[in-house]
Amino acid sequence: IVLDAVNRERIKKSGTAIYLKTNLDVLWERVQNKRDRPLLATSRPQETLGELLRERSPFYEALADKSFLTDGKSPEAVAGEIFRTCFEK
């Protein structure tokens, strides 16, 4: 989605874009046993994931109104951080 310029423009116009930034090791830990990731159906899926991350991260970072590092945090902790940053005054 983010590689397509039309989609990037739609993201910019649709509201606040939030980038949940995660390092490669954490991403790999999350997806290594999933079978529903067709882009990782390669002979070297961890390397493929790294390539995808390197290719896409600049787009995510450029589009993001806010970025949040998710490494070592629970989903609830990340959601709380987003809420406090974006919605509490």
Side-chain angles (χ1 to χ4, degrees):
I1 290 176
V2 76
L3 299 179
D4 185 307
V6 172
N7 290 335
R8 290 193 303 272
E9 194 59 36
R10 287 180 181 154
I11 291 169
K12 284 182 183 180
K13 291 179 178 179
S14 68
T16 302
I18 294 175
Y19 176 30
L20 301 178
K21 191 171 184 174
T22 308
N23 78 45
L24 179 58
D25 292 333
V26 174
L27 285 174
W28 178 245
E29 184 178 313
R30 292 177 184 174
V31 302
Q32 66 183 332
N33 295 317
K34 299 202 181 235
R35 300 292 170 237
D36 59 347
R37 298 288 181 162
L39 293 178
L40 300 181
T42 67
S43 60
R44 298 184 325 249
Q46 189 171 9
E47 289 179 30
T48 300
L49 182 61
E51 292 166 6
L52 291 168
L53 184 62
R54 282 186 293 281
E55 176 184 26
R56 295 175 179 192
S57 288
F59 292 107
Y60 294 136
E61 290 173 5
L63 285 171
D65 296 301
K66 303 279 184 182
S67 295
F68 297 89
L69 185 61
T70 68
D71 297 351
K73 298 176 185 173
S74 70
E76 295 81 9
V78 173
E81 188 176 343
I82 292 168
F83 182 81
R84 285 186 300 281
T85 301
C86 296
F87 301 106
E88 284 186 349
K89 300 289 177 185

